[in-house]
Amino acid sequence: MDATGFDQSDGAALLVRELVREVVAHEAPEELPLVDRLCALDDDATVVRLLGKQRRRGDLLGHGAGATVVMATPVIWVVVNEAAKHFTNSTITGGGKVAKVGLRKLFGRSKTAAVVPALTREQIQQVRTKTVDCAVRQGMSRKRAENLADCLAGRLTLDAPSSTDDSGHVRPSGDLPGGNTTGQS
Amino acid sequence: MSARAETSPVEIPQDRADQPPPAPQSTTAIPEPSKDILPARSGVFSSGTAIRFTLLVLFIGAGGTWLWWADYSWLWAIAAVPGGGRNDWLTLCPEAVGVDPNRPGSSSIGPPARAFIQSCEARHGIVSPHAWMFAGTTTVFALASLIYFFGPIWRSRRGRLLRIDLQGRDDLSTQLNELVATAGLSRPPRFAIDPRPGAASAVVFGRLGRYTVCLDAGLIASSGTDPGVLRTVVLHELAHIRNRDVDITYLTVALWRSFLLCVVLPHVVLAMYPAFTGPYFPTITEFWRHDWPVLLRSLISAGALTAGTYLARSDILRTREFYADADSAHQTGSTAKDRQHQPVTPEPIVWQRFLDLWKTHPTDAQRSAALEDRANLFAVSSMPMLLTGVTALMADQASSKLLEEFGPSHTILVIEGLPALLSVTLVVAVAGVLLWRAVAYAVLTGRAVPSGRFAGLWLGTGMALGELATFRSTDKNVLLPRHPEAVVLLVVAGAVFAWWTTQSADLWIRRWRGRSLRPVQLLGLTAGLFVFGIWYWYWTGFGWFLLNGIPRGDVPIAPSNPAWFELLTERASGPVAFVGAVVFVMFPLTACLFRPMPQPARWARRAGRRARDRVGPLNVTGLRIAAVGAVAGGVLGCLAVATVSAAVHAGMPVLAELNPTWRMGFYRMWLTLGLTAAVTVTATLTAAIARHRRLTIALAAAGGAALIGLVFLALLAGIDGCDGPLRVMTSTCAWRPKAGWGMATIQVPFVLGLGIQGAAIGALAGAASTDLARRWLPRPPEVDSPAPVPALQPDSMTVRRLTVLAACALTAVLVFGTEQNLWSTMSRWKNTISELSTNTLASSDMPWARQDTIADDVHAWMVVGGGTILTTFDRDLGRNIQTLVAALQSIKDAAGQTATWASPDNGLLRVCKAIVHLPDKAYSFIPIPDYVAQAAWSTVLMDITQAGTDCLQSTQAGHDDDALLKAAVQEVIDAWNTIPILTQRITSDLSR
């Protein structure tokens, strides 16, 4: 694990994409074809960037229903990704590292999969709250948003440490930043 | 606008997952198709967008090149005139020979005048910007090709889309493979997912042979709750591929973008840039202040061109959407039946409907309406008709300009008609196809056949707007011609053409037995080419005069008749007008020679069983009305001929003052007007009385009435002299069949030509007035559709065939007589005129010399060199007279010596030679565009030539003719004294 909190795929760690797929399989299985193809991408940053943009209307030869469909995948992926970054020791201190990350992104070699750290109960509660807020803001009904958030929180709880003080991770204080699927990644 | 059914769109639920999963929800705007629809892929009907796309390409090509030419001219004008300014020489050179550069009819200019205009423009640096225009147009199409080929690559660039492998084993891949097979595509496209959150939609893009169907993430998500939505949407996109919409759509868009970048943008920048920057600012602002209509006209033309292009593009794309909807609904079958209808939404307000015209996609309500009732797909909507009209006229203007710049138009007159032919072809092809398919669908489904008049009014309105937007018939500094109301004739022409087309199509389609309607449609469109071509031909020849009035002095033919009549006669007397009118009347009637189908035709069977059952027999009861109308109208025509003859006979004492030719011209005019009025009244009343196919019946009645009237005229003229109060041409009684025949055949082209067109207008008025009356009166509304009637009796078919054949035979005989008596004479006369005009350029060779703009023309003549020639001539003549007088004086002073007039040292011979050659330069120059001034100028030149010749002869060795020399000197001095009078005339011309 580097200073950004992202690491090459570690068999022991829970990857963000794995977590997202599990939740989506449970709550919105119709979105699995999308999640599976997103998982084929190496880079979580790319995934979040794609999911964070709103689809532009007005295509020639485009056809379909006019209203936007509220999806679970962007909400979960963005919130979990934010949580993974936030609750991990994610401060990039050295200018050289910044440049390195920038260059890797520039040349398309930033193929990293984000890892979900083990979270405390308070942190899981924060994630749940943010998930509900984000989903409702996207137009999802509160009931469905809470179902979604409960499922996510439940899955995170499985990996939660027994004691919040013995996790071995550095857990910065403060609230989880607002998860927004429209370009906040 | 075509009224589409007011079904509401089906909105997608905001949160689909909140709905109970088992309940099938409607996720698209596709309602259940009605039961009596045609199979979408029967192949009987084409959408007609391919030809509209061709129109768009041609329009962009011609329009773009035209604007490039305009830009070049503007640049040239700024560069050529210090301080910026107008491109004066483009106006001055034609005006100097009495030609209005903005006026049609340049083919009437004699070759010498053409040669002068060309040399004048070349002398002042006006050359056709061939390279500029060619490069500009090529750039438009090259950039469009680049956009077309590289657009899809840019769209699916790295990281934007998630590829779907059709070889995969997941459910999505399997489902997509099934849909590809259902759609019947031989080669599957590529599929991809756009992961960005959005609607449950999809889009297809790509280029020739390489297409990608991109599914939105929302569509994937929706498919869980409503499996039908994925199927419907994907089949819609695959229908686009199968219908070749992808190529047409993206080519259209690429052309549009290229047109904007390469043509519109430079045009706007060039129009605005010099106005705000550079040293020309004061001059340009002054120009704007004084000549703002010129710039406004330029902007209006460019704006109309751009708007027309955009609307045509949007209309094509919307139509393709309707067809893709129909295709996918046909394939989804039972899925569509389960769709849920939403409450009816209110009819959109006018402004919203106007905005919808600019969109590339139909509204959900329009989609639903088209699917619910397929007749909406076949309705002739106003927008394509309006656009066709506008673009046809603008394309005519643009292609005329191109031909003028590129083509050999100055030498081959036939080529000058090509732009008009192109416009006529476009109108007939686009509007004709739309009308034919509308009628075919109505016949097939047993619905009311549309009259086409309303759609035709839109077509005509488009042509009227196009005519005004080209500004080709307006004066230099105004926005409208003097009589803009004359464009109503174009509106009427559109309505008559569309009305005639639908009735012809109705008659022929019900008789057609082939497997496809294409051959009969092609036949009908070819006939339409003649019919509409004649209207347009009349307009190009006479429209300018209608819009601007007839200039004084233009038609100095027969002072007994008004100028408009002579102009009209000249235009209407040709065989072309007659042929068009014959096709106009006979094409729909010819269908009556065939029996209606006892069994459904093969093309109807292809279209479906239910539709086949509804094809009804032809209702021909109207032909009886036509026969009665023809006889009654014939009597009216006979009365008109008799009345005119009696009136002319009564007025003979006054008319006797006219010379015989003019007297006959007067008689001929009133006979023409009388017969035409009778024919028009016949058509008006017949159309008002008839219930079905009113135009066809009215035209048949009018044609019959004209034939009867002409036969009566032949008989009456044959016994002229015997008929007392009807005697006009001679006072001796005898049977003169030749004279009678000649009198009738002279009337044939006009009465059976323009008279029939007048009858069509009368029929339109009669039908419209009846419709209005029926609307006001408490009666059930009537339509132009035939109700099924019992099958025809064999004898009625025989009578009908004999009647039509007799009418054809009589017409053929009249045509033969007209050829012998009129057309062959006309062609000989025209050849003579043509030969004469190539020899010399005299004032009589300027048929277009304008009396109303004489000041401009004479000014132009002075500027292009006439002023210099006049001044130089006057100065040189004065000097030569001085030299002559001095020489004579020196001879007189040397009296008694042996010197003679012919002595080489006295200078007399030299000055005489100089006087002879003095007018040479003036002779080779163009005449003054003022008859009076030119006559005086010619006299001066001829007198000087004569004086110089006399002078030379008197000095020939051995002559020493003192009297001749004195006469020559006197002639020279007299001619010199005439020059101030000529100058005075020119000055007064300039001050008019």
Side-chain angles (χ1 to χ4, degrees):
Chain A
M1 186 182 301
D2 62 14
T4 64
F6 294 90
D7 202 349
Q8 299 298 328
S9 184
D10 182 352
L14 177 63
L15 298 177
V16 168
R17 56 188 58 196
E18 288 173 356
L19 175 60
V20 171
R21 194 183 187 288
E22 285 182 35
V23 176
V24 167
H26 192 267
E27 286 298 311
E30 67 276 4
E31 296 179 26
L32 276 180
L34 171 66
V35 176
D36 288 342
R37 285 167 179 82
L38 284 170
C39 288
L41 298 176
D42 296 330
D43 184 13
D44 275 88
T46 304
V47 174
V48 172
R49 182 172 53 78
L50 285 174
L51 292 175
K53 288 179 181 171
Q54 195 71 24
R55 173 96 166 80
R56 192 167 56 85
R57 297 260 185 92
D59 268 322
L60 294 165
L61 298 184
H63 177 64
T68 301
V69 178
V70 181
M71 296 166 59
T73 305
V75 173
I76 300 171
W77 206 308
V78 170
V79 170
V80 172
N81 191 63
E82 286 295 328
K85 280 204 295 186
H86 188 75
F87 294 126
T88 309
N89 186 7
S90 57
T91 308
I92 301 174
T93 52
K97 286 182 179 175
V98 172
K100 185 180 175 186
V101 170
L103 284 173
R104 287 181 64 162
K105 282 186 179 176
L106 184 65
F107 292 106
R109 296 180 60 191
S110 178
K111 300 186 190 319
T112 52
V115 176
V116 184
L119 303 177
T120 64
R121 291 186 198 286
E122 291 76 16
Q123 288 169 335
I124 292 172
Q125 185 58 36
Q126 281 185 36
V127 171
R128 185 189 178 283
T129 307
K130 290 298 172 192
T131 304
V132 172
D133 290 348
C134 182
V136 169
R137 205 160 48 238
Q138 295 301 311
M140 195 180 284
S141 68
R142 177 158 288 277
K143 184 183 172 190
R144 189 189 173 203
E146 286 178 350
N147 287 343
L148 193 66
D150 288 343
C151 181
L152 176 60
R155 177 62 186 85
L156 287 172
T157 307
L158 291 179
D159 283 356
S162 55
S163 167
T164 55
D165 297 328
D166 301 332
S167 65
H169 293 277
V170 178
R171 289 169 186 157
S173 59
D175 292 336
L176 185 68
N180 192 342
T181 60
T182 54
Q184 296 299 315
S185 60
Chain B
M1 312 287 156
S2 73
R4 301 193 185 280
E6 298 90 358
T7 47
S8 68
V10 181
E11 299 291 340
I12 188 168
Q14 282 293 311
D15 188 355
R16 197 176 312 284
D18 292 335
Q19 305 297 329
Q25 294 293 317
S26 175
T27 51
T28 71
I30 300 173
E32 175 185 2
S34 58
K35 291 177 181 174
D36 62 341
I37 60 167
L38 290 173
R41 298 161 70 182
S42 66
V44 175
F45 302 105
S46 63
S47 66
T49 48
I51 194 157
R52 278 147 70 189
F53 174 71
T54 311
L55 164 72
L56 182 70
V57 172
L58 285 173
F59 188 50
I60 286 179
T65 314
W66 177 34
L67 287 185
W68 275 98
W69 174 85
D71 291 341
Y72 178 87
S73 301
W74 177 239
L75 279 178
W76 187 91
I78 292 172
V81 183
R86 280 176 294 179
N87 198 344
D88 289 336
W89 294 110
L90 278 174
T91 308
L92 288 172
C93 292
E95 279 184 346
V97 287
V99 172
D100 183 348
N102 298 317
R103 179 166 159 180
S106 58
S107 60
S108 301
I109 306 169
R114 286 167 182 272
F116 172 78
I117 293 172
Q118 284 179 339
S119 67
C120 171
E121 290 180 347
R123 199 163 52 247
H124 294 98
I126 302 174
V127 288
S128 294
H130 291 172
W132 175 278
M133 292 160 73
F134 182 77
T137 310
T138 309
T139 306
V140 170
F141 287 102
L143 183 63
S145 303
L146 286 178
I147 294 172
Y148 174 71
F149 278 100
F150 290 102
I153 296 173
W154 170 254
R155 192 162 187 168
S156 55
R157 64 190 182 277
R158 187 171 62 88
R160 294 274 302 247
L161 303 177
L162 309 174
R163 291 287 299 276
I164 300 175
D165 183 10
L166 286 183
Q167 309 300 323
R169 293 179 180 176
D170 62 335
D171 290 345
L172 183 62
S173 301
T174 308
Q175 198 173 0
L176 292 178
N177 274 317
E178 286 174 7
L179 292 175
V180 169
T182 305
L185 292 179
S186 56
R187 182 178 172 188
R190 288 190 285 191
F191 283 90
I193 297 176
D194 189 335
R196 293 173 292 176
S201 56
V203 63
V204 59
F205 61 88
R207 57 184 165 83
L208 199 63
R210 294 175 66 86
Y211 308 117
T212 301
V213 178
C214 180
L215 313 178
D216 284 354
L219 181 64
I220 304 292
S222 301
S223 63
T225 52
D226 186 357
V229 66
L230 180 70
R231 181 178 171 81
T232 305
V233 171
V234 172
L235 280 177
H236 176 98
E237 299 305 323
L238 296 178
H240 276 312
I241 296 176
R242 194 182 50 251
N243 296 344
R244 301 189 180 282
D245 296 346
V246 186
D247 303 320
I248 285 188
T249 300
Y250 288 98
L251 271 173
T252 307
V253 171
L255 263 178
W256 164 250
R257 289 175 180 166
S258 176
F259 179 69
L260 276 184
L261 276 173
C262 300
V263 179
V264 178
L265 186 65
H267 187 73
V268 172
V269 169
L270 276 176
M272 305 304 293
Y273 175 74
F276 300 112
T277 57
Y280 306 139
F281 180 71
T283 315
I284 295 289
T285 48
E286 187 73 11
F287 180 35
W288 266 98
R289 197 158 56 243
H290 283 104
D291 291 332
W292 60 269
V294 175
L295 292 171
L296 191 57
R297 281 164 53 154
S298 166
L299 290 177
I300 289 174
S301 287
L305 192 69
T306 310
T309 310
Y310 191 86
L311 285 171
R313 155 195 183 268
S314 302
D315 185 57
I316 290 173
L317 298 183
R318 278 198 306 273
T319 308
R320 309 302 291 201
E321 288 295 323
F322 285 130
Y323 275 84
D325 279 349
D327 238 10
S328 67
H330 174 63
Q331 288 162 347
T332 49
S334 59
T335 307
K337 288 182 181 175
D338 298 331
R339 306 228 171 269
Q340 173 185 322
H341 292 264
Q342 294 292 311
V344 173
T345 53
E347 181 76 11
I349 57 171
V350 175
W351 175 246
Q352 186 58 45
R353 287 167 66 184
F354 174 75
L355 291 181
D356 289 344
L357 296 175
W358 302 82
K359 294 178 181 171
T360 55
H361 281 61
T363 62
D364 288 342
Q366 288 169 338
R367 284 179 188 271
S368 300
L371 280 178
E372 198 146 85
D373 184 357
R374 292 295 170 83
N376 285 299
L377 275 182
F378 295 89
V380 185
S381 56
S382 54
M383 181 47 61
M385 299 296 271
L386 183 81
L387 288 175
T388 303
V390 172
T391 50
L393 268 291
M394 298 203 76
D396 185 2
Q397 164 86 343
S399 49
S400 294
K401 178 54 68 182
L402 295 190
L403 202 62
E404 192 180 307
E405 298 299 328
F406 284 113
S409 61
H410 291 300
T411 52
I412 306 173
L413 296 184
V414 175
I415 292 180
E416 285 192 347
L418 280 182
L421 184 63
L422 174 72
S423 298
V424 169
T425 308
L426 289 176
V427 168
V428 172
V430 176
V433 166
L434 290 175
L435 291 165
W436 267 80
R437 59 197 294 279
V439 173
Y441 184 78
V443 169
L444 198 63
T445 53
R447 295 169 186 248
V449 174
S451 77
R453 279 178 292 166
F454 191 67
L457 282 178
W458 280 106
L459 174 69
T461 305
M463 290 193 291
L465 291 175
E467 174 67 49
L468 295 177
T470 57
F471 299 103
R472 62 180 177 180
S473 300
T474 49
D475 290 336
K476 273 185 288 189
N477 288 327
V478 291
L479 294 178
L480 285 173
R482 287 172 218 162
H483 303 287
E485 66 278 2
V487 295
V488 170
L489 270 183
L490 282 173
V491 179
V492 172
V496 168
F497 168 69
W499 197 20
W500 177 88
T501 302
T502 52
Q503 296 198 357
S504 303
D506 185 17
L507 282 163
W508 276 99
I509 286 172
R510 287 174 194 279
R511 300 294 208 267
W512 190 249
R513 295 154 196 265
R515 187 170 179 275
S516 167
L517 286 176
R518 286 177 198 277
V520 71
Q521 180 174 298
L522 192 63
L523 186 71
L525 294 181
T526 309
L529 213 58
F530 281 95
V531 172
F532 183 72
I534 291 305
W535 279 86
Y536 199 71
W537 185 68
Y538 280 125
W539 179 256
T540 52
F542 204 64
W544 194 94
F545 298 102
L546 288 172
L547 290 166
N548 291 287
I550 299 172
R552 295 189 308 275
D554 257 9
V555 193
I557 301 171
S560 57
N561 298 342
W564 63 265
F565 178 78
E566 293 298 335
L567 261 179
L568 206 56
T569 309
E570 196 271 330
R571 196 71 181 170
S573 296
V576 181
F578 176 74
V579 170
V582 167
V583 174
F584 196 24
V585 178
M586 297 308 293
F587 179 71
L589 279 183
T590 311
C592 300
L593 297 178
F594 302 97
R595 287 186 181 283
M597 296 175 290
Q599 297 293 327
R602 282 183 293 165
W603 67 267
R605 287 201 292 273
R606 277 177 70 202
R609 184 176 56 81
R610 290 185 61 81
R612 177 193 62 186
D613 293 341
R614 292 191 181 189
V615 179
L618 172 69
N619 180 357
V620 292
T621 51
L623 281 181
R624 198 160 295 162
I625 298 176
V628 173
V631 173
V635 172
L636 199 63
C638 297
L639 282 175
V641 170
T643 307
V644 168
S645 300
V648 172
H649 176 80
M652 200 53 87
V654 180
L655 294 171
E657 293 178 5
L658 299 174
N659 70 42
T661 308
W662 292 351
R663 196 161 58 235
M664 282 310 299
F666 183 77
Y667 181 43
R668 182 174 57 88
M669 177 183 76
W670 281 106
L671 280 177
T672 304
L673 295 179
L675 281 169
T676 305
V679 165
T680 307
V681 169
T682 304
T684 308
L685 294 178
T686 311
I689 293 168
R691 298 173 73 84
H692 307 295
R693 300 199 181 86
R694 288 179 279 184
L695 180 61
T696 306
I697 301 301
L699 288 179
L707 289 176
I708 293 173
L710 287 170
V711 169
F712 178 75
L713 174 62
L715 292 174
L716 190 71
I719 56 168
D720 194 89
C722 307
D723 38 15
L726 303 182
R727 200 174 61 229
V728 174
M729 294 178 286
T730 179
S731 55
T732 55
C733 180
W735 170 237
R736 301 182 183 87
K738 250 184 137 176
W741 182 244
M743 201 65 194
T745 48
I746 284 176
Q747 296 290 339
V748 165
F750 200 103
V751 176
L752 283 181
L754 195 62
I756 293 296
Q757 313 296 347
I761 297 176
L764 189 68
S769 55
T770 309
D771 287 347
L772 284 176
R774 282 176 183 159
R775 186 168 294 180
W776 288 335
L777 295 173
R779 287 184 184 178
E782 295 289 340
V783 290
D784 262 6
S785 74
V789 295
L792 294 166
Q793 298 298 318
D795 56 339
S796 66
M797 177 60 79
T798 309
V799 170
R800 196 186 320 153
R801 285 177 178 170
L802 285 175
T803 309
V804 173
L805 286 176
C808 288
L810 184 55
T811 309
V813 170
L814 284 170
V815 168
F816 178 75
T818 309
E819 161 61 26
Q820 295 293 313
N821 288 341
L822 184 65
W823 292 329
S824 56
T825 320
M826 281 173 62
S827 67
R828 279 202 299 275
W829 178 74
K830 281 187 177 172
N831 287 339
T832 310
I833 292 291
S834 178
E835 283 171 18
L836 284 174
S837 63
T838 54
N839 292 334
T840 179
L841 184 64
S843 58
S844 59
D845 292 328
M846 297 190 297
W848 298 107
R850 305 165 300 169
Q851 297 300 306
D852 53 340
T853 55
I854 203 163
D856 288 343
D857 294 350
V858 172
H859 167 73
W861 183 84
M862 294 286 283
V863 172
V864 300
T868 310
I869 284 184
L870 194 59
T871 310
T872 312
F873 182 81
D874 187 30
R875 187 195 61 207
D876 292 349
L877 186 59
R879 284 177 185 167
N880 277 299
I881 289 173
Q882 283 179 0
T883 311
L884 184 63
V885 170
L888 289 173
Q889 189 63 45
S890 66
I891 292 171
K892 197 179 278 183
D893 292 345
Q897 295 184 13
T898 56
T900 63
W901 295 129
S903 173
D905 21 330
N906 60 23
L908 195 56
L909 191 61
R910 197 168 53 249
V911 72
C912 288
K913 281 183 181 173
I915 290 172
V916 166
H917 294 291
L918 202 56
D920 285 355
K921 207 170 179 181
Y923 274 135
S924 64
F925 196 63
I926 53 172
I928 306 170
D930 170 19
Y931 292 123
V932 177
Q934 175 60 26
W937 181 225
S938 296
T939 307
V940 168
L941 297 178
M942 283 191 293
D943 286 352
I944 293 295
T945 308
Q946 186 60 46
T949 309
D950 290 347
C951 180
L952 272 180
Q953 278 187 359
S954 68
T955 57
Q956 291 296 318
H959 279 87
D960 286 350
D961 190 338
D962 193 26
L964 189 60
L965 181 63
K966 282 181 180 170
V969 172
Q970 192 56 48
E971 282 168 358
V972 171
I973 293 172
D974 286 348
W976 194 44
N977 288 333
T978 312
I979 291 180
I981 300 171
L982 173 64
T983 314
Q984 197 177 359
R985 167 75 189 185
I986 289 176
T987 310
S988 71
D989 280 345
L990 292 173
S991 60
R992 282 190 196 189

